[in-house]
Amino acid sequence: MGRPAARVVLALAIGVVGALLFSWLRLPLPWMLGAMTTTTIAALLGAPVAGPTRIRPLMFMVLGVMLGSTFAPDILDRVGHWLSSILLLLVCVIVTGAIAYPYFRRVARFDPVTAFFCAMPGGMSQMVPIGGAMGGDEGKIGLIHGSRVLLVVFTIPIWFQITGELGNVDRSTLGVGLASVEIGDLLVLAGAGALGWALAWKLKLPSAATMGPLIVSAALHITGVSESQPPRELVNLAQLIIGASVGCRFADVPTREVMRALAVGTGLTVIMLAIAAVFAAAVNQIGAASLPAAILAFSPGGLPEMTLMALALGVDVAFVVTHHVARIILVVAIAPVLFRRSTRGN
C-alpha cells in the first residue's frame, strides 16, 4: 500500500474510533461528528492523515440521492409557501457578506480579495478556486471556510442536544437497513445518482456530485417512481467520509496557522450564526417553517453537513435542502457583483 493510501486508511480508522465513541456517548450524528472530531485532533497533532478525496465525491452522490428521497409528492403544494423565506435568504446572504467582509479586512487584516471570498457564505469548493483565480490567498480562504464549517457543524447539533431538540430518539443511524432494500430499488437509486451527477457536471452546476443526484432522486420520488432510500450502512459510510474529510483539511498545515484560522473563524461563526438566528426567527414568525428547520436552513454550514443534521433532527429536510441549494446558487450568482462593490476603493 502506497504512503498516500496508508494516510487515508489511517484517517478513516481514526474516524471510525470517533464514530464509535460518539455513538457510545449518544451524541448526535456520531458517524460525521465523531469522525470529524478525532481526525481534526489527529491532524493538529501532526498524525500522517489525509482526506479520502478520491471517494468523497461518490459519497456526496450517495448523500444527494438520500436527500432527494425525502421529497414527497406533496412537495409541489408546499414550494410556493417558501418564496418569502427564499427572498429572506437572499437578504441574509447579502447582510452576512456585508458584515463579514469588513471583519476580515479590519480584524484579520486580510487583503481585499481574500477577505471577500472568506466572507461569502458559499461552499469552500466554489470559493477557494474562484478566490484564487481572482488573486486571493487560497490557503487562507480554505482554512477559514474549513474552520467555519467545523465550528458550525459542532455548535448546532450539540446545542440542539442540550436544549432537547433531538428528544430521546436514537438517531445514531439514518436510512433503512440494507436487507430492507430490494436489488431493483438499489439499481434505480444508483442510476439516479450516476445520471444526476453526469447531468450536473455537464451543466456545470455547483456541487455537482450532490446537487445532480439530489435533483434526479427528488424527481423520482415526487413523481412516485421510487419510494426507496439508500441503505443506512451506505449513508453512515458517507457521513464517515465527509467527517474525516473536514478534519483532514487541517493536516500538513502549521499548527499556528490552524489556530489563527480557528480563532478568526470563531468570530466569523458567531457573526454568521447571530445573523442566521435573526432571519430564522423571522421565517418562523411568518409561518414558513419551524424554528429548528429555519435555523438549519439559514445556518452557514456546508450543504452535506447541514442537511444531514436536518435528517438527524427529523425536521423538514426538503425545506432545509431547498434553501441550502438556493444559497449556493445565490452566492455563485451575486458574488461577482458584490466583489466589485466591496473591493471598490480598497
Side-chain angles (χ1 to χ4, degrees):
M1 184 182 294
R3 186 164 178 259
R7 296 182 66 178
V8 172
V9 170
L10 177 61
L12 293 179
I14 292 173
V16 169
V17 172
L20 295 176
L21 176 62
F22 270 49
S23 294
W24 181 68
L25 294 173
R26 296 186 66 81
L27 294 175
L29 290 172
W31 285 94
M32 183 173 71
L33 292 188
M36 193 182 302
T37 301
T38 50
T39 53
T40 298
I41 294 173
L44 292 178
L45 292 176
V49 294
T53 54
R54 292 190 177 183
I55 58 177
R56 184 175 57 186
L58 184 61
M59 296 300 103
F60 284 157
M61 183 188 75
V62 172
L63 178 60
V65 173
M66 176 70 185
L67 296 174
S69 70
T70 65
F71 283 69
D74 66 349
I75 193 71
L76 298 178
D77 298 327
R78 302 167 53 213
V79 171
H81 300 295
W82 298 347
L83 179 59
S84 57
S85 61
I86 290 177
L87 291 175
L88 283 173
L89 179 66
L90 171 61
V91 179
C92 181
V93 167
I94 295 174
V95 170
T96 299
I99 294 177
Y101 175 73
Y103 168 80
F104 282 114
R105 289 287 287 135
R106 297 170 186 172
V107 177
R109 301 292 183 179
F110 287 175
D111 65 85
V113 180
T114 301
F116 174 82
F117 287 98
C118 285
M120 281 289 97
M124 185 169 70
S125 60
Q126 293 90 39
M127 296 299 100
V128 172
I130 296 175
M134 293 287 186
D137 187 325
E138 288 191 9
K140 288 181 179 179
I141 297 172
L143 278 176
I144 291 298
H145 282 288
S147 64
R148 168 177 62 84
V149 171
L150 180 73
L151 293 167
V152 169
V153 168
F154 269 114
T155 300
I156 293 179
I158 298 299
W159 183 81
F160 278 137
Q161 179 90 340
I162 293 172
T163 57
E165 292 289 348
L166 287 176
N168 296 317
V169 179
D170 180 9
R171 302 181 185 276
S172 61
T173 57
L174 303 173
V176 298
L178 180 61
S180 301
V181 184
E182 299 290 339
I183 295 297
D185 292 330
L186 283 176
L187 292 176
V188 170
L189 295 176
L195 176 62
W197 189 358
L199 290 175
W201 182 81
K202 185 73 173 178
L203 296 173
K204 297 182 179 180
L205 296 180
S207 302
T210 302
M211 199 171 296
L214 190 160
I215 293 171
V216 174
S217 176
L220 291 178
H221 288 81
I222 290 172
T223 57
V225 174
S226 175
E227 296 180 356
S228 301
Q229 296 180 343
R232 71 168 62 98
E233 293 85 356
L234 199 53
V235 175
N236 285 343
L237 178 60
Q239 292 182 76
L240 173 67
I241 298 298
I242 292 169
S245 297
V246 174
C248 289
R249 286 172 184 164
F250 303 106
D252 301 324
V253 179
T255 303
R256 184 176 179 179
E257 291 185 24
V258 174
M259 299 310 296
R260 183 172 187 270
L262 288 174
V264 174
T266 299
L268 171 70
T269 301
V270 170
I271 293 171
M272 288 186 166
L273 285 179
I275 296 171
V278 170
F279 280 90
V283 168
N284 179 243
Q285 284 295 314
I286 64 177
S290 66
L291 185 58
I295 289 174
L296 290 175
F298 279 72
S299 292
L303 170 64
E305 296 85 5
M306 303 311 296
T307 49
L308 276 172
M309 287 185 204
L311 284 166
L313 281 169
V315 299
D316 193 340
V317 179
F319 179 85
V320 176
V321 170
T322 300
H323 283 69
H324 275 282
V325 170
R327 174 179 59 85
I328 293 173
I329 294 173
L330 287 171
V331 169
V332 172
I334 68 176
V337 176
L338 291 180
F339 176 72
R340 288 192 294 268
R341 289 182 178 274
S342 65
T343 57
R344 186 176 297 163
N346 286 289

